[in-house]
Amino acid sequence: MAVAQIEAKSLWKEYGDNTVLEQVNVQVEKGEFITIVGTSGCGKTTFLRMLLGVEQPSRGELLLDGKAFPAEPGDDRGVVFQRYSVFPHLTVLKNTLLSEEFHQSRLLGKLFGQKKEQAEERAKEMLESVGLSHVLGQYPHQLSGGMQQRLAIAQALIRKPKILLLDEPFGALDPGIRADMHDLILGLWNETGLTIFMITHDLREGFYLGTRLWVFDKIRLDPQCPHCFGSTITYDIDVGQTKGSLFQAIDHSLEDSRKFLVQ
Amino acid sequence: MAVAQIEAKSLWKEYGDNTVLEQVNVQVEKGEFITIVGTSGCGKTTFLRMLLGVEQPSRGELLLDGKAFPAEPGDDRGVVFQRYSVFPHLTVLKNTLLSEEFHQSRLLGKLFGQKKEQAEERAKEMLESVGLSHVLGQYPHQLSGGMQQRLAIAQALIRKPKILLLDEPFGALDPGIRADMHDLILGLWNETGLTIFMITHDLREGFYLGTRLWVFDKIRLDPQCPHCFGSTITYDIDVGQTKGSLFQAIDHSLEDSRKFLVQ
Amino acid sequence: GDKFKVAWSIYVGWMPWDYGDSSGILKKWADKYGIEIELVQINDYVESINQYTAGGFDAAVMTNMDALTIPAASGVDSTALIVGDFSNGNDAVILKGKKELKDIKGQNINLVELSVSHYLLARALESIGLVEKDVKVVNTSDADMVAVYTTPSVTAVTTWNPLVSEILAMPKSYKVFDSSKIPGEIIDLLVVNTKTLKKSPKLAKALVGAWYEIMANMQGNGAKAIEARTSMGVASGTDLKGYDAQLASTKMFYKAADAVAFTNSAALKDTMAKVASFSFDHGLLGDGAPNAGFIGIESPAGVFGDKKNIKLRFDPTYMQMAADGKL
Amino acid sequence: MKRLLNQHPDTTQKIILGVLPFVVLLLIYLVASDARLVKNPDDKLLPSISDMGRAMEKLALQPSKRTGEYLFWQDTGASLTRLGLGVGISALIGLFFGILNGVIPYSRINLSPLITVISLIPPLALLPILFIVFGLGELSKIVLITFGITPFIIRDLQGKVLELPDEQLIKAQTLGASSWLVIVRVVLPQILPRLFEALRLSLGAAWLFLIAAEAIASTDGLGYRIFLVRRYLAMDIILPYVAWITFLAFLTDYILRSVSVRFFPWFHSTK
Amino acid sequence: MKRLLNQHPDTTQKIILGVLPFVVLLLIYLVASDARLVKNPDDKLLPSISDMGRAMEKLALQPSKRTGEYLFWQDTGASLTRLGLGVGISALIGLFFGILNGVIPYSRINLSPLITVISLIPPLALLPILFIVFGLGELSKIVLITFGITPFIIRDLQGKVLELPDEQLIKAQTLGASSWLVIVRVVLPQILPRLFEALRLSLGAAWLFLIAAEAIASTDGLGYRIFLVRRYLAMDIILPYVAWITFLAFLTDYILRSVSVRFFPWFHSTK
Ligand SMILES: Nc1ncnc2c1ncn2[C@@H]1O[C@H](COP(=O)(O)OP(=O)(O)OP(=O)(O)O)[C@@H](O)[C@H]1O
Ligand SMILES: Nc1ncnc2c1ncn2[C@@H]1O[C@H](COP(=O)(O)OP(=O)(O)OP(=O)(O)O)[C@@H](O)[C@H]1O
Ligand SMILES: [Mg+2]
Ligand SMILES: [Mg+2]
């Protein structure tokens, strides 16, 4: 049997007394598009940060290609956050050029001459495909929120990482612009065949984009001690086989957790 | 014929060369619930700020009960913004008490003894009705986003303003919590019969909540000079008589403007 | 009665004022004449003279040169009420590693510019036929003089006590010139605003009376004198031994009669002429001054300079009264 | 190996690393002092620890022969009183004008340029004038501190008032507040914790001006003592005094911070 | 009538209101100066404007009799050179340690406590030691400035590095950056505009230390001249010098700001 690209084995994550995740067991194959939903504070971002290598599991194992996860971020895993994903001091083109420069110039992180031209060529192609060719020389603050996120995606994808991690990348965008971004990300995923993890607050978005949808939620709730138990994956759905009633069921279960937390 | 509560007569608003609103003509009766949608930057907030009295029209007239609009905010018009609507240095109860204290104590803005108790009684009732009675002594930073907005609404409504102005009050909230807020605001509106203006980015929300929906949009678009022409009310719909096709039409027209702006 | 304010700063010849204040002698004399005298210590000497000049004090301690260049040059008519002492070795030119004054040529010399040290240096150079252009003067605050001297780049200083003894205690430091070679030229005074003096002679009587009682108390080796000098030493940041060492190079006029004789001498007039000409050369008499005699200086031996513009007066009247026991 | 920027020391390492530089500095001092003292036992520049201890014992634990006071504590008391008064007065003036200028446009436009210019004047250059105008008593020392730090406090607080979200001022008005009520109920309470921050930032300057003022006209105070014994290069007194001032500066900063955390919990947890 | 906090002056009012305080101060000075000069025409405390003009003309436009130099410009040049060197060196050291401590946890934990303590030491109290260690020349003046402002710059920049969103550092690593590349391509360019801000904030202190250093040992410089002519209460020189220093402080601030706006447009438009 082939090794899964990513595997979690009875994974726990605790911050002091606060149990965030408990008993997560899951396998992910190369090329899957996994969308993650869950109430606020249930540990979605924490899980993503473990995939990034920024956080380490408290207990259990997290494996990448069968080996322990690297303990720090690397260029095999790209990321797009909700905010702060592009560098404000670099123009659109230079933001996109950055990873090439990091790789080819370990000393200065700057390319010159012909190498630079070649790298710029590639960066421009990438920007073309996210529809930013007309603003190459502009700084991020001159772009709208949607354009900034497109830039962040271009930046993350140009070195072709094996895995792309998205933490509510479209959370701050207008519904209209959001639809454009959906087309974009699906297109890129089809082309490159990378594995995508995407956190979203919008259940509909989750169903629409993913091939597989995870719901993070607490199985055990203790009103006296809300932080005693952690979340785990309560639903793991192959999105091909979705039924309307399932959607309703998830929606209600999330509603209940939410109400519980707000009190 | 009775005077409309609010009337705009060929209203223009310009900032220097930038025409934001042009030729707005509209009448609003007491007790209407008006929702406003439009692309980003089209002037929705600007219009609301004129109703607040923070901005003045560049040309044309804006009337309140047939008289010129007051040139500064007053306690006849309550407001809830997307953020910063509650005072971070006051507890939930004190935030709600504030307007009573402003009215009864012009010198210190503080109530003591029996007066204070009475005011607290009323504030607690109000907080009960927005579901915050269990967090009276907490500071805003201890509350979730949804609870903060509920507090802002309670604070705005306790002195019973004639008009309530809402600028994307639920924009930063989770979809689930949003639904709760809809119930809340509709309930309060039914009870008090005040006039509500609410800006939203979510067309669906606009249709669901309002009795009347306005779309702000530019009629004239000049690619060479995007700021030469301002927005006006392009749709003014009595929401009782909505058809599916209308929804589609609005959605598309907004989409077009958005695309235009993003380029 | 009337209230008067007197400014003083820490220096060997002025420490008696502090003792007079703490021992109650000053108050005794003030009471005798039915007035109040407030004695205010000011750390920064120049600031105390500035304050006096601006009108903040009725009297202040200062040297003869500063009396001329600050209050008198600012048009404040001032009278030297008490001639307390003159420097007799208290001010010195010190070289590092060199033993002869002539080695000073071409060196950087750290001193408080435009002060009596500067004057002393000028006189020292004059004595071996050099002029100021032959050296380079570096303005240096007196508070830091000792610290500064320990650095290798500093090779020559001109300064006063207690700094002189601190510096001479360091290895390879040689005194090549001091004020004992120009006796009676650097004089420590108590200066009173002439207008105030005319209006209230009581102030003068109380101050002079107190001063000579202090003088009598501190002289000799009796228990009382030791106690007085110990107090003065401690107040100036040292001890009895250190203070006595400073006194040794100071010609105190313990007796009023000596002070009167010094004031009456023709030498004083000559000294002031030299000081005036030095001050004029260095622009200290103001832009409007056409010559060194622009400001008149009156002394019993006669007036130096402009008789119509007398701003500094040496007046032995009250010291004479003390000498005569009439206070 | 992780990248350096991802490597975090554990608790033991933290303590060792933090203390290390101080130990090294102390060792360097001891060696240098010893070397000088071997060459010249009377050297005053780098006194031995025991010399400093002896000098301080005399000042702190034995009454002065002249006045019967414990000089060290008298100096400390005098300096802290001046510092407290100067900083306190600056805080009040700063709070008043900071809020006034922040809230009322007319006042801001009237006074801001003047305050900017005043803040650029180096107070030390004005010392002679200050002393002449305010005399040489306690007043002038307090004025120097005030003059030195108030413009900064005003400008800082004014900026902080202007940074308050416009929404808050509008909201308060829709709740019926007058300009005055906006000030006392909305602006003042939110600016108070920022005043504490501004004071913490100004304390260094305040100490500086205090020492400068005491050097010129004073009969007691930490700065006075340092300048008095400087003439004799009495490093055995100067060094402990400097260390003591540093400690006091640290203590006042700590106290200001603790008080602020205690009284403005909402401010410190939103940050 | 609108509430006071809603009333905004128009352009003419703005100019009048802004200039008014200066006119009032000038008038007060003129009256006070006149009153003193009537009583004593030789009074030096509050010289007339023409006296100041004459004194400055002599210093700025006529060569000195003693050295043949134009003293005013010589003083200005000397002071600005020292200030520039002191601030420049502080900027470099501040940038180096600020970034190092901000990015590398080991370095931060090692050096932060020491820098905090150093920042609390009042530099004026340490002057004798500085002179002894660094000599009396230009070096010690530059060191005093550096010692006075560098700890602040380091702490400020370190804080600013830590304020950079964690997301940026993570993102850079996912793009393949080493610690070093994160520093040169992500942190350094974003900290540079903040360095300019920190320098603008430290300039006041830098001037202060410059003047203090020049007052203690020097042969030229603006601070030297002020303290020298204090010896004969030449307020006709002191006052214009103070005004000139104030103007220079304003100018340097303005230049720093303009340069920053010119080179870091992205920084100033996102704020
Ligand atoms: N570094 C940390 N130290 C301590 N607790 C943490 C830390 N990071 C996260 N937490 C806690 O872990 C829990 C989960 O946080 P996380 O950010 O993963 O939630 P989330 O599902 O991403 O929520 P949201 O939808 O709001 O982004 C929260 O209770 C949070 O307080
Ligand atoms: N005080 C002002 N000065 C100059 N221009 C302004 C000002 N306020 C708003 N504008 C401009 O007016 C236009 C409309 O802004 P407004 O905030 O009303 O848009 P909006 O419809 O509320 O957008 P959004 O949906 O993003 O909140 C924008 O182009 C904005 O730049
Ligand atoms: Mg999250
Ligand atoms: Mg808006």
Side-chain angles (χ1 to χ4, degrees):
Chain A
M1 195 192 111
V3 184
Q5 189 182 25
I6 290 169
E7 181 168 11
K9 288 187 189 164
S10 20
L11 190 75
W12 291 67
K13 182 69 192 177
E14 287 145 7
Y15 292 109
D17 283 348
N18 182 2
T19 306
V20 178
L21 294 174
E22 62 176 50
Q23 196 65 27
V24 178
N25 284 296
V26 83
Q27 294 198 340
V28 177
E29 301 300 328
K30 195 169 166 320
E32 291 195 79
F33 190 142
I34 292 165
T35 51
I36 303 174
V37 297
T39 49
S40 192
C42 73
K44 303 180 297 294
T45 298
T46 303
F47 184 74
L48 212 73
R49 287 168 67 85
M50 287 198 272
L51 296 181
L52 262 172
V54 182
E55 298 283 352
Q56 272 65 49
S58 310
R59 282 183 267 166
E61 275 183 289
L62 189 62
L63 304 175
L64 178 64
D65 296 325
K67 281 175 294 227
F69 237 83
E72 58 180 357
D75 58 0
D76 50 347
R77 285 150 291 147
V79 67
V80 175
F81 298 104
Q82 182 170 1
R83 294 184 307 154
Y84 309 123
S85 250
V86 292
F87 298 104
H89 62 294
L90 298 174
T91 60
V92 168
L93 183 61
K94 289 194 174 150
N95 255 297
T96 321
L97 220 55
L98 201 56
S99 70
E100 269 313 315
E101 297 193 304
F102 283 157
H103 280 86
Q104 296 192 31
S105 164
R106 300 304 290 172
L107 193 64
L108 288 179
K110 271 273 191 193
L111 292 178
F112 302 95
Q114 213 191 334
K115 275 192 182 172
K116 182 177 180 188
E117 271 162 38
Q118 285 170 1
E120 280 190 356
E121 234 19 79
R122 279 193 296 276
K124 279 177 191 163
E125 268 168 45
M126 189 74 223
L127 287 170
E128 177 86 51
S129 74
V130 299
L132 289 179
S133 349
H134 58 300
V135 289
L136 294 181
Q138 297 198 8
Y139 285 100
H141 74 266
Q142 298 169 298
L143 307 180
S144 70
M147 291 159 95
Q148 289 191 19
Q149 289 305 73
R150 283 197 236 176
L151 174 57
I153 292 170
Q155 195 183 41
L157 288 185
I158 193 162
R159 289 281 311 173
K160 302 202 179 18
K162 289 189 289 182
I163 300 167
L164 181 61
L165 306 168
L166 308 171
D167 193 351
E168 299 186 47
F170 315 135
L173 305 182
D174 283 8
I177 295 171
R178 231 156 145 151
D180 292 354
M181 305 297 291
H182 292 168
D183 296 349
L184 175 74
I185 200 82
L186 283 177
L188 290 169
W189 174 66
N190 274 327
E191 268 171 46
T192 55
L194 42 47
T195 313
I196 299 185
F197 290 81
M198 169 168 156
I199 298 177
T200 172
H201 257 126
D202 189 339
L203 190 55
R204 258 177 296 257
E205 192 176 72
F207 269 94
Y208 174 66
L209 287 178
T211 58
R212 190 170 168 190
L213 181 130
W214 291 350
V215 180
F216 274 71
D217 209 353
K218 290 182 202 267
I219 310 183
R220 302 180 286 175
L221 288 171
D222 180 348
Q224 254 56 53
C225 172
H227 288 306
C228 284
F229 300 111
S231 305
T232 187
I233 300 179
T234 53
Y235 288 84
D236 182 349
I237 310 148
D238 201 342
V239 181
Q241 54 180 58
T242 321
K243 289 196 205 101
S245 58
L246 184 63
F247 185 101
Q248 296 274 320
I250 294 172
D251 211 16
H252 275 131
S253 90
L254 288 179
E255 197 71 13
D256 292 343
S257 305
R258 226 172 252 140
K259 288 249 166 73
F260 173 78
L261 285 173
V262 168
Q263 294 312 313
Chain B
M1 195 191 115
V3 185
Q5 191 183 23
I6 289 168
E7 182 168 11
K9 290 187 189 166
S10 21
L11 189 73
W12 291 67
K13 181 68 192 177
E14 289 147 3
Y15 293 109
D17 282 349
N18 181 1
T19 307
V20 178
L21 294 174
E22 64 177 48
Q23 196 65 29
V24 178
N25 284 296
V26 83
Q27 293 198 341
V28 177
E29 301 298 330
K30 194 170 165 322
E32 291 195 79
F33 191 142
I34 293 167
T35 51
I36 303 175
V37 297
T39 50
S40 191
C42 73
K44 304 180 295 296
T45 298
T46 304
F47 184 74
L48 211 73
R49 285 169 67 86
M50 288 200 270
L51 296 180
L52 263 173
V54 181
E55 298 283 351
Q56 271 65 50
S58 310
R59 282 182 267 164
E61 275 183 289
L62 188 63
L63 304 175
L64 178 65
D65 297 325
K67 281 173 294 216
F69 237 82
E72 58 179 357
D75 58 0
D76 51 348
R77 284 150 292 147
V79 68
V80 175
F81 298 103
Q82 182 171 359
R83 294 186 305 155
Y84 308 123
S85 248
V86 293
F87 298 104
H89 62 295
L90 296 176
T91 60
V92 167
L93 183 61
K94 288 194 175 152
N95 256 297
T96 321
L97 220 56
L98 201 58
S99 72
E100 270 311 317
E101 297 192 304
F102 284 156
H103 280 87
Q104 295 191 33
S105 164
R106 300 305 289 174
L107 193 62
L108 288 180
K110 271 273 191 194
L111 291 179
F112 301 95
Q114 214 192 336
K115 276 192 182 173
K116 182 177 181 188
E117 273 163 37
Q118 286 170 0
E120 281 190 356
E121 233 20 78
R122 279 192 297 275
K124 281 178 189 162
E125 269 168 42
M126 188 74 224
L127 287 170
E128 176 86 52
S129 73
V130 298
L132 290 179
S133 347
H134 59 300
V135 289
L136 294 181
Q138 298 198 9
Y139 285 100
H141 74 266
Q142 299 169 296
L143 307 181
S144 69
M147 289 159 95
Q148 288 190 19
Q149 289 305 74
R150 285 197 236 175
L151 174 57
I153 292 169
Q155 194 183 42
L157 287 184
I158 193 164
R159 288 281 311 171
K160 304 202 178 19
K162 288 189 291 182
I163 301 168
L164 181 62
L165 307 168
L166 307 171
D167 193 351
E168 299 186 46
F170 314 137
L173 305 184
D174 281 9
I177 295 172
R178 230 155 145 151
D180 293 352
M181 303 299 290
H182 291 168
D183 296 347
L184 174 73
I185 200 80
L186 283 177
L188 291 169
W189 174 65
N190 274 327
E191 269 171 45
T192 54
L194 43 46
T195 313
I196 298 185
F197 290 81
M198 169 168 158
I199 298 178
T200 172
H201 257 124
D202 188 340
L203 190 55
R204 260 178 294 257
E205 190 175 73
F207 269 94
Y208 174 64
L209 287 179
T211 59
R212 191 173 167 190
L213 180 128
W214 291 350
V215 179
F216 275 68
D217 208 352
K218 290 182 202 268
I219 309 182
R220 304 179 284 175
L221 289 171
D222 179 348
Q224 255 55 56
C225 172
H227 288 308
C228 285
F229 300 110
S231 305
T232 187
I233 300 180
T234 53
Y235 287 85
D236 180 350
I237 310 148
D238 201 343
V239 180
Q241 54 180 60
T242 320
K243 289 195 206 100
S245 59
L246 184 62
F247 187 98
Q248 296 276 317
I250 294 173
D251 210 16
H252 276 130
S253 90
L254 288 179
E255 197 72 12
D256 292 344
S257 305
R258 228 173 249 141
K259 290 249 164 75
F260 173 79
L261 285 173
V262 167
Q263 296 311 310
Chain C
D2 294 335
K3 274 189 81 164
F4 299 94
K5 284 173 80 178
V6 179
W8 76 281
S9 44
I10 292 180
Y11 182 64
V12 49
W14 295 319
M15 291 320 293
W17 285 116
D18 180 58
Y19 170 73
D21 197 30
S22 60
S23 66
I25 295 176
L26 188 60
K27 181 161 190 321
K28 192 180 90 190
W29 282 86
D31 289 345
K32 177 171 177 189
Y33 288 98
I35 58 174
E36 271 180 68
I37 299 176
E38 189 190 347
L39 194 69
V40 181
Q41 180 195 335
I42 297 171
N43 252 0
D44 187 288
Y45 165 65
V46 173
E47 201 50 54
S48 73
I49 307 176
N50 282 346
Q51 292 287 327
Y52 161 77
T53 307
F57 290 94
D58 302 294
V61 297
M62 62 190 84
T63 65
N64 53 336
M65 177 175 145
D66 293 314
L68 173 67
T69 58
I70 306 177
S74 299
V76 176
D77 193 331
S78 298
T79 299
L81 182 68
I82 298 173
V83 176
D85 67 88
F86 62 76
S87 168
N88 195 21
N90 242 338
D91 298 74
V93 181
I94 300 170
L95 296 187
K96 198 187 276 178
K98 298 274 164 63
K99 296 179 184 168
E100 302 292 332
L101 179 56
K102 62 177 173 25
D103 295 324
I104 205 169
K105 192 168 179 186
Q107 297 216 34
N108 280 350
I109 299 166
N110 292 80
L111 50 73
V112 179
E113 233 179 292
L114 308 183
S115 70
V116 289
S117 295
H118 204 163
Y119 175 77
L120 178 76
L121 176 71
R123 297 281 285 130
L125 293 172
E126 210 182 305
S127 72
I128 53 167
L130 295 177
V131 289
E132 215 184 305
K133 278 220 177 90
D134 296 322
V135 297
K136 186 156 185 244
V137 165
V138 179
N139 188 35
T140 306
S141 122
D142 53 330
D144 294 289
M145 199 65 79
V146 181
V148 154
Y149 186 80
T150 62
T151 71
S153 64
V154 173
T155 53
V157 298
T158 305
T159 189
W160 51 76
N161 258 327
L163 315 174
V164 168
S165 43
E166 288 293 326
I167 290 173
L168 284 177
M170 293 188 216
K172 284 197 260 163
S173 304
Y174 303 104
K175 180 158 76 176
V176 294
F177 191 86
D178 70 22
S179 50
S180 64
K181 308 234 170 69
I182 51 164
E185 291 192 25
I186 297 174
I187 312 164
D188 299 321
L189 311 169
L190 176 74
V191 169
V192 186
N193 189 312
T194 306
K195 236 188 255 165
T196 313
L197 182 65
K198 291 225 171 87
K199 243 197 299 177
S200 323
K202 283 177 178 175
L203 172 65
K205 288 180 184 163
L207 286 170
V208 174
W211 178 259
Y212 286 107
E213 181 174 342
I214 301 165
M215 287 297 113
N217 279 358
M218 71 183 279
Q219 211 185 351
N221 283 320
K224 201 169 182 190
I226 296 290
E227 189 213 308
R229 294 209 301 277
T230 305
S231 156
M232 294 179 204
V234 169
S236 59
T238 178
D239 50 21
L240 177 65
K241 200 172 126 235
Y243 187 65
D244 278 346
Q246 295 176 33
L247 271 181
S249 49
T250 307
K251 171 73 183 111
M252 292 297 296
F253 295 116
Y254 291 110
K255 295 213 180 64
D258 296 345
V260 172
F262 179 80
T263 311
N264 285 335
S265 71
L268 179 63
K269 191 183 160 197
D270 291 347
T271 296
M272 288 319 291
K274 282 194 199 107
V275 169
S277 114
F278 172 85
S279 304
F280 175 73
D281 287 346
H282 288 83
L284 301 183
L285 300 185
D287 289 339
N291 55 51
F294 171 66
I295 293 167
I297 304 169
E298 185 189 71
S299 69
V303 174
F304 168 78
D306 190 346
K307 290 194 172 58
K308 287 194 224 70
N309 189 29
I310 293 178
K311 294 291 179 195
L312 180 59
R313 303 160 199 273
F314 286 85
D315 181 358
T317 314
Y318 295 92
M319 292 188 287
Q320 186 66 56
M321 287 182 185
D324 299 345
K326 289 187 184 152
L327 288 175
Chain D
M1 270 294 283
K2 283 208 235 179
R3 298 184 187 91
L4 257 181
L5 88 172
N6 291 327
Q7 290 181 31
H8 294 268
D10 61 34
T11 319
T12 340
Q13 285 177 319
K14 272 186 193 173
I15 295 172
I16 296 176
L17 279 175
V19 172
L20 195 66
F22 296 97
V23 175
V24 169
L25 279 187
L26 190 67
L27 279 181
I28 292 179
Y29 181 87
L30 288 180
V31 170
S33 156
D34 213 50
R36 281 189 80 103
L37 287 173
V38 163
K39 264 173 66 182
N40 172 9
D42 286 336
D43 182 71
K44 287 182 162 182
L45 193 61
L46 301 180
S48 68
I49 303 282
S50 61
D51 278 350
M52 292 196 248
R54 223 169 302 126
M56 288 317 289
E57 199 211 311
K58 219 170 127 185
L59 287 173
L61 302 179
Q62 296 171 16
S64 146
K65 275 183 228 144
R66 222 160 63 93
T67 57
E69 313 232 33
Y70 295 85
L71 288 183
F72 176 74
W73 301 111
Q74 190 192 358
D75 288 341
T76 306
S79 285
L80 285 183
T81 311
R82 286 168 196 145
L83 191 81
L85 280 171
V87 171
I89 291 170
S90 306
L92 289 181
I93 301 177
L95 198 59
F96 181 81
F97 283 104
I99 291 182
L100 192 73
N101 283 358
V103 175
I104 312 286
Y106 267 92
S107 158
R108 175 165 65 249
I109 283 152
N110 190 205
L111 299 178
S112 255
L114 181 66
I115 293 169
T116 306
V117 168
I118 292 180
S119 76
L120 291 169
I121 301 176
L124 287 191
L126 275 190
L127 265 183
I129 301 176
L130 280 189
F131 281 122
I132 285 161
V133 176
F134 295 101
L136 281 167
E138 293 302 294
L139 184 61
S140 62
K141 285 156 215 141
I142 292 162
V143 168
L144 180 66
I145 296 175
T146 308
F147 187 84
I149 67 174
T150 308
F152 165 78
I153 298 179
I154 296 180
R155 293 180 74 190
D156 191 53
L157 293 187
Q158 170 180 328
K160 289 296 187 316
V161 174
L162 290 172
E163 270 174 25
L164 285 181
D166 211 23
E167 283 90 341
Q168 285 196 11
L169 303 192
I170 294 175
K171 178 93 187 198
Q173 295 181 61
T174 67
L175 298 180
S178 58
S179 294
W180 167 246
L181 287 175
V182 167
I183 288 178
V184 289
R185 293 298 317 269
V186 177
V187 176
L188 176 65
Q190 293 197 65
I191 286 306
L192 276 180
R194 272 119 184 164
L195 172 66
F196 274 81
E197 291 198 326
L199 289 183
R200 290 176 61 204
L201 284 177
S202 342
L203 266 179
W207 273 104
L208 211 79
F209 294 123
L210 174 71
I211 290 173
E214 286 183 342
I216 288 191
S218 197
T219 52
D220 53 10
L222 299 166
Y224 164 78
R225 192 73 50 202
I226 289 178
F227 273 74
L228 183 67
V229 302
R230 230 159 100 176
R231 297 166 207 228
Y232 305 95
L233 200 66
M235 298 307 284
D236 53 346
I237 295 179
I238 294 181
L239 289 179
Y241 261 68
V242 170
W244 176 240
I245 292 176
T246 306
F247 173 74
L248 289 178
F250 177 82
L251 197 71
T252 36
D253 184 73
Y254 177 80
I255 291 174
L256 279 181
R257 191 179 148 71
S258 307
V259 169
S260 178
V261 169
R262 171 99 183 60
F263 284 99
F264 312 109
W266 55 270
F267 181 73
H268 293 273
S269 33
T270 31
K271 287 235 303 184
Chain E
M1 272 295 282
K2 283 207 233 179
R3 297 184 187 91
L4 256 181
L5 88 172
N6 292 326
Q7 290 180 32
H8 294 268
D10 60 34
T11 319
T12 340
Q13 284 176 318
K14 273 186 192 172
I15 296 171
I16 295 176
L17 279 175
V19 170
L20 196 66
F22 296 97
V23 175
V24 170
L25 280 186
L26 190 67
L27 279 181
I28 292 178
Y29 180 85
L30 288 179
V31 169
S33 155
D34 215 50
R36 279 190 81 101
L37 287 174
V38 164
K39 265 173 67 184
N40 171 8
D42 286 333
D43 181 71
K44 287 178 164 183
L45 192 63
L46 301 180
S48 68
I49 304 281
S50 63
D51 277 350
M52 292 195 244
R54 223 170 300 127
M56 288 316 288
E57 199 211 310
K58 222 171 125 185
L59 287 173
L61 303 179
Q62 296 171 14
S64 144
K65 269 182 257 159
R66 283 208 307 162
T67 58
E69 312 231 34
Y70 294 85
L71 290 182
F72 176 74
W73 300 111
Q74 190 193 357
D75 289 340
T76 306
S79 285
L80 286 183
T81 310
R82 287 167 194 147
L83 190 80
L85 281 171
V87 171
I89 291 169
S90 308
L92 289 180
I93 301 177
L95 199 58
F96 181 80
F97 283 103
I99 291 182
L100 193 73
N101 283 358
V103 176
I104 313 288
Y106 267 92
S107 158
R108 175 166 63 250
I109 282 153
N110 190 205
L111 299 178
S112 256
L114 181 67
I115 294 171
T116 306
V117 169
I118 292 181
S119 76
L120 291 170
I121 300 176
L124 288 190
L126 275 189
L127 269 180
I129 301 176
L130 282 189
F131 279 120
I132 289 160
V133 178
F134 297 101
L136 252 198
E138 295 302 294
L139 185 61
S140 64
K141 286 162 206 128
I142 292 164
V143 168
L144 180 65
I145 296 176
T146 307
F147 189 83
I149 67 174
T150 308
F152 165 78
I153 297 179
I154 296 179
R155 294 180 74 192
D156 191 52
L157 293 187
Q158 171 180 329
K160 289 294 185 322
V161 174
L162 289 172
E163 271 174 26
L164 285 182
D166 212 24
E167 283 89 341
Q168 286 195 11
L169 304 192
I170 295 175
K171 178 91 188 201
Q173 295 182 60
T174 66
L175 299 180
S178 59
S179 295
W180 167 245
L181 286 175
V182 167
I183 288 179
V184 290
R185 291 299 317 269
V186 177
V187 177
L188 176 65
Q190 292 197 65
I191 287 304
L192 276 181
R194 272 119 183 163
L195 172 66
F196 275 82
E197 290 198 329
L199 289 184
R200 290 176 61 204
L201 283 177
S202 341
L203 266 180
W207 273 104
L208 214 77
F209 293 122
L210 174 71
I211 291 173
E214 288 183 342
I216 283 175
S218 199
T219 53
D220 52 12
L222 298 167
Y224 160 78
R225 192 73 51 198
I226 287 179
F227 275 77
L228 179 66
V229 303
R230 200 168 71 105
R231 268 254 153 209
Y232 52 103
L233 202 64
M235 298 303 285
D236 52 346
I237 296 177
I238 294 180
L239 289 179
Y241 261 67
V242 170
W244 176 240
I245 292 175
T246 306
F247 172 75
L248 288 178
F250 177 82
L251 198 70
T252 36
D253 184 73
Y254 176 81
I255 290 174
L256 278 180
R257 192 180 149 67
S258 306
V259 170
S260 178
V261 168
R262 172 96 184 63
F263 285 99
F264 313 109
W266 55 271
F267 181 72
H268 293 273
S269 32
T270 30
K271 287 236 301 185

